[in-house]
Amino acid sequence: MKIVLRALATALGATALLMVLALAPMLEPSVYAEESSPYLVPATIADDCSADVTMELLDWINAVPDGSTLQFGPDACYQVEGSLYIRNRHNLVFDGNGATFQALTDGSGVAAPAPAYAHLWPRNRAHWLVDGGSSLTFRNMTVIGANPNAGAHIGYVAALEQQPGFELDGVNGATVENTTVSDVYGDFVYVGGNAKNVVVQGNHFDRSGRMGIAITYGQYVTVSGNYIYNAGRSMIDLEPALAYQEIHHIKVTHNDIGPHRLTFFANKGAGGNISDVEISYNEVTGTDINALVGIAEARRSNFKFNYNTGTGGFGSPHGALVFHNIDGIEVIGNSQRVGGSLPGVHSGVAVQLIGSTDVEVRDNVFARLESPSLTQYGPVTVISADGASSNYVHCNNITNYGGVPPASDGSGPCSPTPDTVNPTVPGNVKATAVSASQIHLVWTAATDDNRVASYRIYRDGAEVGATSGTTYSDAQLTPLTAYAYTIKARDPAGNMSAASAIVEVTTLASGVLFHDDFEDGSADGWTETRGAWTVTAAGAGNVYESVEDPLAGIPFAETLVGDSDWTDYAVEAEIRPLAFRGDGAIRLYADYQNSNNHYLFQYNNKLHQLSIVRRVGGTATALAQKSFALSAGTPYTVKAVTYGGGLSFYVNGTLELTASDSSLAAGRTGLYVKGVDVQIDNVFVTQFDLEAPSAPTALTAVAVSDSEAELSWTASTDNIGVAGYKLYRDGMEVATVTAASYHDRGLAAATAYSYTVKAFDAAGNMSAASNAALVTTLAFVLFADDFEDGSADGWSAPHGTWSVVTVNGNRVYEALDDAGVVGSYAETYAGNGAWTDYTMEVRIQPLSFAGDGSLRLLARYQNNNNYYLFQYNNKLGNLYIQKRIGAATTVLAQKSFTLATGNWYTFRVALNGSELSFSIDGIEQLTATDTGLEAGKFGFYLKDTGAYLDDVQVRH
């Protein structure tokens, strides 16, 4: 049996709670008529990114009525090469439930979603495309584009620049929250078509080809609490292109902004009016809060640029903040390092006003870049006004390197002190593994003398995200893997707290569907459809507690969790009924598809009865029932099992009811309570599994050193999921891994080993063994040189010219004979005169041959008159193995052979006792037997030729 915990936490909690609703006759149709449950994505739609499912998803979306929630599979992956086109829809929630929507191409191979888009396709391929409608919400999903260079200079592709993650055109009321968008050719979010009441909040955006957030025609747009990094051009872009396009009431606040190539805030465009724009409390990391606002051809009004922080130095011929023809400007409380006044590069101006009126610039901190190399560029100026009027400039703190006074600071009598106080350390960090791929974090808020602007999350020492709240979900992790987390707090001035205490947690096995003990203080993963559900303290820990919804007639509370394609699973939870009222009932759902199709495991307090009930097409049928009593205030462990057409109901580990039915094969789980408030805890959803994974195939083993071997194989498959692999060396288990590869270390040199691999799943089912892979480790390395350090240390070169040079980006050892004339030679040696048996390998590229032109590898070299030589003679077109003893040279073996100049060859010679061999490019060319020389160095001799040598290795 395999235990699998995942998003069924809801069901689980329900499991325990629901225990048993009594009989089918006790199921009130009126109660079910009031239920409003999400529509689940059909299980027939591929959710592993194996095929383009654009049309299948659109068919399903179009079939769901307005006023609904559409829920996708948890951790699913949908390949979407077209646009998910949402036209004139109303009151819909698109709950990604952790799913990913990924494009693998630029969309050129699929059709436009409507004729109006065909003439520009695929330039205007939006991943989610909204056209009209109202009250739409997109949440809990990841969108990945196909731009391999997003965020970089070459990532901007004009022919594909209008491919945003979300395009919101003409909609009245749209929310994009808790999503991740990356690697798109266009913007993360694009707003146009006079869209109104748009909220973009709590998202993670990283790597776009064009803008971060782009607005061309819209009003009442709020962008807050987002993590926005690596936009290809500007981060926030307000750019109406046509005269009728206007932008009003925009608020960009409390965002964590990362690097960008152009500007933080751009407001250009030759279109209509722009007014009432607030850019406030944003943190810009590693770069500046520069802004280019307004144009010469039109006047715009009421801009607030307040309390933003930039940590990078600004470099522009204009100035940090430029306002052109703006009526009504606030620039208050910002903090920015500003570059000097090198002409054409750094203007040294913090705020530049061109034709603007009613300007207030106060309480800002503009600090000059503190680098001695910049003192020549001159000081920073707070404000430069050209045709501007009615300006109030006061209390700005200017700092120039080396005490140089500002050229014009415009300050009043006060000079505010920059904030240098770090926030306190976030406390009480808790981490909970909620599935095989997701960990949820929660912590206690830090404090600051100003305020805490954001928290940075670090996994294994590397920053992985940021948030303005005190919770964070880290997704797309590896099953059964330990992770260590710390949290740091940051204030608007960029001061960072020390790291919190490290908290370690291990993700669940790949078969685990869901687990929740609520100790992190949240109920992430649960969909609360009716009543109120809260995580509250009880005893020494937390529980999930229900409060009924007192609406028309019959009050009840309901919560759901899981995936529509879950099959063969058990849900288990601890449930404590607090007080029964009237018909008090607890119902645990299994194979829940919708409110009219599911199994329920129920307890009815009025009848004191447990029952297993099937509801199909709205008709309820009791499959099994028995008398039973639960007591208020007492905790019970309840488990419901659906497996292969069998249904089982357990209370406190005892099997109380069984039934057989195959009407429903898959679905979520959940909990329904009526006439009773309950507390749930320790919810587990596990999947039964008796099937072993397939055997790994194509196992290969390659020796990469004298003590290491690299193994790889084709991954196994499993009906639920492969949890890992066990590695066997010479029949003994040596390691357990989750990836389809392994690097074995600590081996003996020049030793043969045999490897096999077996796969296992979370239930402990083990596959058959893979094929055996045989490998012999390399001999011990006596000497190695690839010349990448730029030196030839360890070599002696008594003749010729030897030097390390760079060729095609790689460093090589170049040999030239003494004078470049016939009869001259070059010679170099390395190693130890006591070396006996060894192999020598080198890559050689002959550059030219003249006269007797030859290449010689010298082995067991004792002096100029005693050594073996492995030679190529270009004049004779031969290879030789020769020995030189006492100045007499003897040929031991020879054959015809030809080398071409300009090509690389790998030469290898081996000496093992009396056995000698000579190989080129892995093919043995000559062998010989001789006992004349037992030990010596190695070297190279080139006559009437030049050559490159690289990657020299000598092994014992």
Side-chain angles (χ1 to χ4, degrees):
M1 168 191 291
K2 169 190 228 171
I3 293 183
V4 196
L5 309 142
R6 189 160 138 199
L8 281 187
T10 303
L12 277 190
T15 304
L17 242 167
L18 278 192
M19 237 55 219
V20 191
L21 243 162
L23 303 168
M26 295 305 299
L27 301 176
E28 301 90 334
S30 60
V31 172
Y32 284 95
E34 293 177 10
E35 298 178 2
S36 177
S37 300
Y39 285 79
L40 306 182
V41 64
T44 55
I45 297 178
D47 61 0
D48 59 356
C49 276
S50 60
D52 180 14
V53 294
T54 306
M55 298 311 299
E56 290 89 339
L57 288 175
L58 286 175
D59 288 343
W60 171 61
I61 291 171
N62 292 333
V64 174
D66 287 347
S68 302
T69 294
L70 298 88
Q71 191 171 78
F72 297 86
D75 300 323
C77 185
Y78 302 102
Q79 182 183 342
V80 178
E81 302 300 342
S83 291
L84 293 177
Y85 184 44
I86 314 301
R87 176 172 170 78
N88 291 331
R89 300 300 304 273
H90 305 277
N91 301 308
L92 290 176
V93 175
F94 295 87
D95 184 0
N97 200 20
T100 296
F101 300 84
Q102 183 169 11
L104 303 179
T105 71
D106 64 9
S108 57
V110 299
Y117 297 90
H119 69 294
L120 292 176
W121 191 265
R123 180 179 184 270
N124 56 354
R125 188 269 302 268
H127 298 277
W128 282 92
L129 174 58
V130 174
D131 184 6
S134 64
S135 300
L136 304 178
T137 297
F138 300 87
R139 69 189 185 199
N140 306 329
M141 64 179 67
T142 295
V143 177
I144 303 177
N147 187 346
N149 302 305
H153 175 72
I154 60 174
Y156 173 69
V157 180
L160 301 171
E161 68 169 333
Q162 200 171 339
Q163 288 198 9
F166 293 91
E167 180 169 340
L168 309 174
D169 285 328
V171 64
N172 185 1
T175 298
V176 178
E177 62 184 1
N178 195 30
T179 73
T180 296
V181 180
S182 66
D183 302 312
V184 291
Y185 280 103
D187 318 314
F188 298 123
V189 178
Y190 172 89
V191 179
N194 198 23
K196 304 178 183 67
N197 302 308
V198 173
V199 176
V200 180
Q201 64 183 11
N203 301 284
H204 187 111
F205 299 141
D206 195 1
R207 301 186 302 276
S208 73
R210 194 172 72 168
M211 310 299 180
I213 309 296
I215 305 172
T216 60
Y217 187 14
Q219 52 187 313
Y220 295 100
V221 179
T222 298
V223 179
S224 68
N226 301 286
Y227 180 96
I228 314 175
Y229 271 52
N230 297 304
R233 296 175 74 81
S234 295
M235 278 297 185
I236 309 295
D237 184 49
L238 277 54
E239 191 168 348
L242 303 173
Y244 67 85
Q245 294 178 334
E246 297 190 353
I247 300 174
H248 304 287
H249 306 291
I250 308 300
K251 187 172 185 178
V252 180
T253 184
H254 292 92
N255 297 285
D256 183 350
I257 309 291
H260 48 271
R261 287 203 312 108
L262 297 181
T263 55
F264 159 52
F265 176 62
N267 170 223
K268 307 294 282 185
N273 189 25
I274 300 178
S275 69
D276 300 307
V277 177
E278 177 184 340
I279 311 295
S280 63
Y281 296 102
N282 299 286
E283 295 181 60
V284 183
T285 302
T287 184
D288 43 46
I289 55 170
N290 59 321
L292 297 176
V293 181
I295 58 175
E297 297 82 2
R299 301 202 67 81
R300 291 164 179 175
S301 60
N302 298 329
F303 278 73
K304 296 181 179 180
F305 201 91
N306 300 335
Y307 303 103
N308 302 285
T309 301
T311 63
F314 180 77
S316 165
H318 308 292
L321 308 175
V322 180
F323 297 93
H324 199 155
N325 288 347
I326 307 298
D327 299 319
I329 301 171
E330 285 184 8
V331 181
I332 300 173
N334 301 283
S335 177
Q336 173 63 56
R337 296 165 64 198
V338 183
S341 56
L342 181 64
V345 179
H346 300 275
S347 72
V349 176
V351 181
Q352 184 175 32
L353 306 173
I354 305 172
S356 297
T357 65
D358 298 323
V359 178
E360 182 177 3
V361 181
R362 63 176 173 84
D363 300 325
N364 300 284
V365 176
F366 298 116
R368 170 65 188 284
L369 286 174
E370 296 186 0
S371 170
S373 64
L374 294 179
T375 57
Q376 59 181 309
Y377 300 161
V380 171
T381 301
V382 174
I383 186 167
S384 172
D386 180 8
S389 62
S390 302
N391 300 325
Y392 173 76
V393 182
H394 187 62
C395 289
N396 297 291
N397 187 10
I398 280 289
T399 302
N400 280 309
Y401 182 80
V404 178
S408 172
D409 65 12
S411 294
C414 57
S415 181
T417 302
D419 181 1
T420 60
V421 178
N422 296 331
T424 61
V425 178
N428 197 29
V429 180
K430 295 180 180 179
T432 301
V434 296
S435 75
S437 62
Q438 186 174 20
I439 290 172
H440 185 70
L441 300 159
V442 61
W443 57 90
T444 303
T447 60
D448 185 66
D449 61 328
N450 182 352
R451 65 181 178 85
V452 173
S454 68
Y455 296 90
R456 305 300 174 94
I457 292 83
Y458 297 83
R459 183 207 310 137
D460 296 334
E463 184 176 338
V464 294
T467 179
S468 58
T470 56
T471 64
Y472 183 80
S473 288
D474 194 17
Q476 298 181 339
L477 304 175
T478 303
L480 290 176
T481 301
Y483 295 98
Y485 291 90
T486 56
I487 313 294
K488 295 181 181 179
R490 180 172 175 166
D491 67 16
N495 301 308
M496 193 84 77
S497 76
S500 68
I502 296 174
V503 59
E504 296 182 344
V505 64
T506 300
T507 48
L508 302 176
S510 58
V512 173
L513 297 176
F514 187 85
H515 164 241
D516 204 343
D517 60 7
F518 309 103
E519 292 307 309
D520 62 0
S522 76
D524 288 352
W526 300 80
T527 301
E528 297 159 359
T529 55
R530 290 298 296 268
W533 296 82
T534 60
V535 176
T536 186
N542 293 335
V543 296
Y544 194 31
E545 185 171 319
S546 71
V547 178
E548 293 177 345
D549 186 1
L551 295 180
I554 305 171
F556 65 94
E558 184 185 60
T559 184
L560 300 170
V561 72
D563 190 354
S564 59
D565 63 3
W566 282 358
T567 61
D568 296 338
Y569 59 82
V571 292
E572 180 177 282
E574 294 177 9
I575 298 178
R576 180 195 299 269
L578 299 181
F580 288 103
R581 299 179 295 276
D583 292 344
I586 301 170
R587 304 172 182 173
L588 178 62
Y589 295 133
D591 288 346
Y592 184 98
Q593 298 174 3
N594 53 48
S595 58
N596 288 320
N597 296 277
H598 55 259
Y599 292 115
L600 57 97
F601 298 73
Q602 110 180 327
Y603 171 73
N604 185 292
N605 188 64
K606 182 177 181 180
L607 300 176
H608 296 296
Q609 194 172 66
L610 296 178
S611 62
I612 300 176
V613 178
R614 175 191 67 208
R615 187 172 180 85
V616 175
T619 300
T621 304
L623 303 175
Q625 62 190 52
K626 70 178 292 186
S627 297
F628 203 88
L630 299 182
S631 300
T634 300
Y636 297 89
T637 298
V638 180
K639 180 167 71 174
V641 178
T642 169
Y643 180 75
L647 306 171
S648 304
F649 195 177
Y650 294 79
V651 179
N652 289 338
T654 300
L655 178 62
E656 300 291 351
L657 286 175
T658 62
S660 296
D661 190 79
S662 57
S663 303
L664 303 167
R668 296 183 296 167
T669 184
L671 185 65
Y672 169 105
V673 295
K674 173 189 168 226
V676 61
D677 295 329
V678 299
Q679 293 176 341
I680 350 176
D681 200 4
N682 295 322
V683 178
F684 285 85
V685 181
T686 61
Q687 192 158 25
F688 285 101
D689 182 16
L690 301 175
E691 183 177 334
S694 63
T697 59
L699 173 64
T700 61
V702 178
V704 294
S705 77
D706 59 317
S707 62
E708 299 170 289
E710 191 73 45
L711 284 72
S712 63
W713 57 91
T714 300
S716 299
T717 59
D718 186 65
N719 61 320
I720 304 302
V722 174
Y725 299 90
K726 291 186 179 295
L727 278 293
Y728 299 84
R729 182 201 313 130
D730 296 336
M732 301 294 292
E733 183 180 337
V734 293
T736 299
V737 297
T738 56
S741 62
Y742 179 67
H743 195 100
D744 198 13
R745 295 177 171 86
L747 306 176
T751 303
Y753 294 97
S754 175
Y755 290 91
T756 56
V757 181
K758 295 180 181 180
F760 63 90
D761 59 23
N765 300 306
M766 189 77 70
S767 77
S770 68
N771 60 291
L774 304 178
V775 65
T776 299
T777 50
L778 301 178
F780 182 77
V781 176
L782 298 172
F783 182 95
D785 201 344
D786 62 5
F787 308 103
E788 290 304 317
D789 61 358
S791 75
D793 292 346
W795 297 87
S796 61
H799 297 285
T801 302
W802 295 84
S803 57
V804 177
V805 299
T806 299
V807 177
N808 296 326
N810 294 318
R811 288 174 172 159
V812 299
Y813 201 23
E814 182 182 44
L816 298 175
D817 51 31
D818 274 339
V821 297
V822 173
S824 62
Y825 64 95
E827 195 174 31
T828 186
Y829 306 100
N832 189 302
W835 289 353
T836 56
D837 295 342
Y838 55 84
T839 62
M840 175 174 54
E841 187 171 282
V842 60
R843 293 177 62 238
I844 299 179
Q845 183 186 74
L847 300 179
S848 62
F849 290 106
D852 290 341
S854 64
L855 299 170
R856 305 176 187 179
L857 279 65
L858 311 181
R860 291 182 181 170
Y861 178 93
Q862 298 174 4
N863 52 49
N864 285 342
N865 291 319
N866 295 277
Y867 55 84
Y868 288 113
L869 58 134
F870 300 77
Q871 174 183 192
Y872 168 72
N873 186 295
N874 185 66
K875 181 178 180 180
L876 300 177
N878 281 339
L879 293 177
Y880 298 92
I881 299 179
Q882 299 168 291
K883 69 175 178 180
R884 185 174 178 85
I885 296 181
T889 301
T890 304
V891 175
L892 302 176
Q894 72 180 63
K895 70 176 291 187
S896 297
F897 202 85
T898 301
L899 297 181
T901 58
N903 292 339
W904 281 98
Y905 299 93
T906 299
F907 282 39
R908 183 179 186 274
V909 302
L911 304 95
N912 184 16
S914 62
E915 297 176 1
L916 313 176
S917 71
F918 188 6
S919 302
I920 298 179
D921 290 340
I923 299 174
E924 187 174 70
Q925 303 292 340
L926 292 173
T927 61
T929 301
D930 188 76
T931 58
L933 299 163
E934 296 182 352
K937 301 179 182 181
F938 73 95
F940 303 99
Y941 175 104
L942 292 81
K943 181 181 179 184
D944 294 338
T945 187
Y948 294 143
L949 281 65
D950 200 5
D951 298 328
V952 179
Q953 280 199 354
V954 180
R955 293 179 177 273
H956 175 63

